[in-house]
Amino acid sequence: MHFDRNLLLEMLHDAIGEEELFIVSLTVSDSVLPKVTVTLDGPNGLAIQACATISRRLARRIDEHYGEESAYSLEVTSPGADQPLTDPRQYPRHIGRSLALKLADGTEKTGTLTAATAEGVEIEEVIKQKTKKTTLPAAFYPFGDITEAKVVISFK
């Protein structure tokens, strides 16, 4: 059984409907029992209820198109806390949190996310020198210069 990724994306857009969510990724594993994995996110994250609803709607569409006897597994999920941010729309809800950026020039910056726009992010970088920490004035980094961004989870 072969899934058409573009068709699945179309079905997924339908399944999301009015929900204020966006697609982070959609993958189909190439195995005897194909696994369709959908990662969604939204300005306020992804509620379990929305996950279940979209999963049901998408499964119904897949069954209608590919036949109810088609064998596959479906997982609708949100990005884990350890997953890098991949879509500019994921940043605004992390304002105030610590962000670790890897930049195209090989440097790394860690600091508090103070602003997020469609073009990039502004962070107040924290520099550790021996025993003291210094917070630099907020600086702007365009998305084009960022190769990876992760929210720093602190367990204080």
Side-chain angles (χ1 to χ4, degrees):
M1 155 130 182
H2 180 72
F3 283 112
D4 176 341
R5 194 170 173 281
N6 290 333
L7 182 62
L8 285 177
L9 277 170
E10 215 173 284
M11 292 175 178
L12 179 55
H13 277 289
D14 277 354
I16 291 170
E18 297 300 304
E19 300 274 350
E20 216 186 324
L21 298 169
F22 53 86
I23 302 164
V24 175
S25 68
L26 184 152
T27 58
V28 182
S29 72
D30 200 19
S31 51
V32 181
L33 180 72
K35 180 175 182 182
V36 178
T37 307
V38 172
T39 307
L40 301 174
D41 207 346
N44 307 307
L46 180 66
I48 297 289
Q49 193 52 51
C51 249
T53 303
I54 291 166
S55 183
R56 273 196 310 272
R57 287 178 188 161
L58 183 57
R60 201 163 49 233
R61 284 180 174 76
I62 292 173
D63 292 348
E64 281 166 9
H65 186 85
Y66 289 100
E68 287 190 16
E69 61 290 329
S70 57
Y72 65 93
S73 70
L74 173 62
E75 181 183 29
V76 176
T77 180
S78 61
D82 57 342
Q83 295 294 307
L85 304 178
T86 54
D87 188 302
R89 292 171 291 186
Q90 289 177 284
Y91 288 83
R93 80 162 196 272
H94 294 294
I95 288 173
R97 290 193 178 138
S98 187
L99 207 59
L101 302 182
K102 285 185 183 162
L103 303 176
D105 65 7
T107 58
E108 295 188 17
K109 311 274 181 196
T110 300
T112 304
L113 177 63
T114 53
T117 68
E119 285 74 51
V121 295
E122 197 176 84
I123 67 168
E124 289 176 350
E125 187 182 357
V126 176
I127 305 203
K128 292 176 186 148
Q129 291 159 324
K130 293 188 179 110
T131 55
K132 67 179 204 321
K133 286 181 178 180
T134 310
T135 302
L136 301 181
F140 183 80
Y141 300 96
F143 287 123
D145 292 351
I146 300 171
T147 54
E148 186 182 86
K150 282 187 167 183
V151 175
V152 180
I153 311 292
S154 92
F155 297 100
K156 286 183 181 137

